[in-house]
Amino acid sequence: MYDMNDSVDAASSTPALTYPLGAAPGQGEAVEVAPGVLWLRMRLPMALNHINLWALEDGAGWTLVDTGMQTEETVAAWQAVLEGPLAGRPVKRVICTHMHPDHIGMAGWLTRRFDCPLWISRLEYLTCRTLVADTGREAPPDAIRFYRGAGWDSAALERYKARFGGFGKMVYALPDSYRRITAGDEVLIGDRAWRAVVGRGHSPEHVCLYCPQLGVLISGDQVLPRITPNVSVFPTEPDADPLTDWLESLAAIALAVPGEVLVLPSHNDPFHGLHARIQQLIDGHERALLRLTEALREPKTASEVFELLFRRRVDGEVLAMATGESIAHLNCLLRRGLISRETDATGVLWYRRV
Ligand SMILES: [Zn+2]
């Protein structure tokens, strides 16, 4: 649901990318990465242990881009930043690139504190409201059917039931209304226009912000330099094909944003080499799809292709994410007409090359 994909996909080295900035800001610090653009970093309680956030000068105040996960530590980090490098100007607006808890987790806390609006795309806002509403519910039969169909054993299904509904615990009460951002919008921040460039596949309507005047792209999780973002199918839409969305939107971003921009990603460090990185992400998935097609000469379940796709063992913590990602690749091959799918008497789905 949120990004831990670095632990699934061993990041490859990327000689075409360069990292022009120095060390990342520490807790309570900010680094100016372009005129009026401040880099903040906050910790995350998981394998991917940090997120980058951005504060943009906006007249007499600030526009914040992304907010960190709801934890006591993030509250303390925001207090330090608001009394430190951001002191003296109020937050006028909070923009969230997408609805994953490390991005939207503190949006409600910040918008209430400053009585300011949340700007976000419609699908991200509504999807987040849906996921938050699952908190406290029992895992639905649809989800159990989905993971049983992927080949999970009963121990894995029991662990899933015990953990279900955790999303809302990582998100402070959302604002009850929002201002919609749509692909192509020009968002005026201070005296600079930032164009909304939408990506799909990692999340439903992920907003990147491109400022031609500064030559800067805030890429969110859509383009990360050292991590392959998670692209998953979830039980709410078992036949979804997010990988096709992902590949198409990456190609569209390469056309919409010039290669020489400074990319400000949500994880890892700011970098140059946008087009090289996009090509590498696309090529990595296409190679995985080829390996998968080859391997499916023999019928297999979604759980039987983890090692082939991720080149590592998958267990416990990352099982649901790896399963979602396997099914994303399988559904993409189904859509391309390269494989077929059959359900056996026990409800398990088997895929094979046609
Ligand atoms: Zn994300």
Side-chain angles (χ1 to χ4, degrees), residues 171-244:
V171 178
Y172 194 94
L174 280 180
D176 290 305
S177 61
Y178 71 105
R179 164 70 188 256
R180 182 184 183 188
I181 302 178
T182 305
D185 280 358
E186 300 272 348
V187 181
L188 196 66
I189 303 174
D191 55 2
R192 294 194 182 92
W194 293 74
R195 189 174 306 149
V197 179
V198 164
R200 299 173 205 280
H202 172 71
S203 66
E205 196 183 359
H206 177 299
V207 169
C208 305
L209 292 169
Y210 166 45
C211 180
Q213 197 186 338
L214 290 174
V216 167
L217 174 73
I218 294 176
S219 65
D221 281 353
Q222 185 72 26
V223 186
L224 301 174
R226 298 184 195 275
I227 299 170
T228 301
N230 178 262
V231 175
S232 274
V233 175
F234 295 99
T236 38
E237 194 186 340
D239 291 327
D241 177 16
L243 187 54
T244 296

Side-chain angles (χ1 to χ4, degrees), residues 4-12 226-229 277 291 309-312 325:
M4 296 195 296
N5 203 41
D6 57 328
S7 50
V8 169
D9 183 59
S12 52
R226 298 184 195 275
I227 299 170
T228 301
R277 182 56 183 150
R291 289 200 300 278
L309 279 177
F310 310 124
R311 300 184 183 283
R312 55 154 280 183
E325 188 129 351

Side-chain angles (χ1 to χ4, degrees), residues 18 60 82 106 114 121 148 154 164 176 180 188 201 260 295 304:
T18 56
L82 293 169
M106 293 294 286
F114 291 97
S121 70
R148 182 178 289 129
S154 53
F164 182 81
D176 290 305
R180 182 184 183 188
L188 196 66
E260 60 272 17
E304 287 172 338

